[in-house]
Amino acid sequence: EDNGEAHAPDVLPPSIGRGQARKPYCEVLVVTPGERSTWGAMRDGMRKLRRETDEFVIEPVVVGSFEEAVLALLVNYNIQAVVMFDGFGYASQNSLPDLRELVGAYLPQAATARDGDLAMLLSRAAHAIRPELDIYLATDRDVGRLAGADEASGVRRVFYALEEMLELHLAILE
């Protein structure tokens, strides 16, 4: 995020040194329409859900756009699940022409679908890039209609108006 120097404690997974270092570590990609200023609080909130009995240490990686999510899936193999909060945008806020070229090379149909259902497009893209991933969607749409739709076949679970993050945390652990 900054161009300043990173210190070792800042770049290591937060579980190291907190008694959970021996547990398997993975990351969950969180795609949110929320402002970047709220991402730190979101990460901290998800970290607070960890319990001593959890079998894994799960670290959230938060992005705010379709392009950033695809890039994360292409380069970060620590990601084992994707959580999408409906309403995120297509384009990255960062000016990265190489990113757009990479997304275009892997998903040429994505550029023409910028105004469509980005959550369903991302679920299909994630399944094409990394079929082993579990994909979750938090939405205010009609869950019954969405869960039975062919376009949502890659989504493992749909959460309606998710109020309790613990439910999501437990689903990811499962």
Side-chain angles (χ1 to χ4, degrees):
E1 293 180 11
D2 295 328
N3 289 334
E5 293 183 34
H7 296 68
D10 296 333
V11 295
L12 292 174
S15 62
I16 292 181
R18 296 187 186 156
Q20 296 179 332
R22 291 188 177 93
K23 291 183 179 183
Y25 170 83
C26 67
E27 295 174 353
V28 59
L29 179 64
V30 179
V31 188
T32 179
E35 293 295 322
R36 185 176 291 268
S37 62
T38 64
W39 294 359
M42 179 183 288
R43 280 190 294 265
D44 291 343
M46 293 179 81
R47 289 174 184 149
K48 287 179 183 177
L49 295 173
R50 294 180 185 156
R51 303 165 304 161
E52 288 297 322
T53 57
D54 290 348
E55 295 181 36
F56 301 94
V57 174
I58 299 174
E59 181 66 20
V61 174
V62 184
V63 299
S65 71
F66 177 88
E67 289 179 329
E68 293 167 348
V70 170
L71 180 64
L73 293 173
L74 288 170
V75 301
N76 186 347
Y77 280 89
N78 285 326
I79 294 172
Q80 296 300 311
V82 178
V83 175
M84 300 177 293
F85 289 90
D86 234 351
F88 57 88
Y90 180 84
S92 172
Q93 292 179 358
N94 301 309
S95 176
L96 302 170
D98 293 339
L99 165 67
R100 287 187 176 87
E101 186 178 321
L102 186 62
V103 171
Y106 274 89
L107 303 164
Q109 75 280 13
T112 60
R114 290 179 185 217
D115 298 326
D117 186 347
L118 292 177
M120 293 302 101
L121 179 62
L122 182 56
S123 71
R124 288 190 304 275
H127 186 69
I129 296 167
R130 305 261 314 273
E132 76 278 10
L133 296 179
D134 291 328
I135 301 171
Y136 304 92
L137 174 64
T139 185
D140 289 334
R141 293 190 253 175
D142 180 3
V143 174
R145 196 179 120 264
L146 183 62
D150 289 339
E151 63 189 16
S153 63
V155 177
R156 180 177 176 110
R157 185 164 174 195
V158 178
F159 294 91
Y160 177 75
L162 185 65
E163 293 177 11
E164 185 58 53
M165 289 296 288
L166 181 60
E167 184 180 2
L168 177 61
H169 176 75
L170 295 174
I172 293 168
L173 284 172
E174 183 183 305

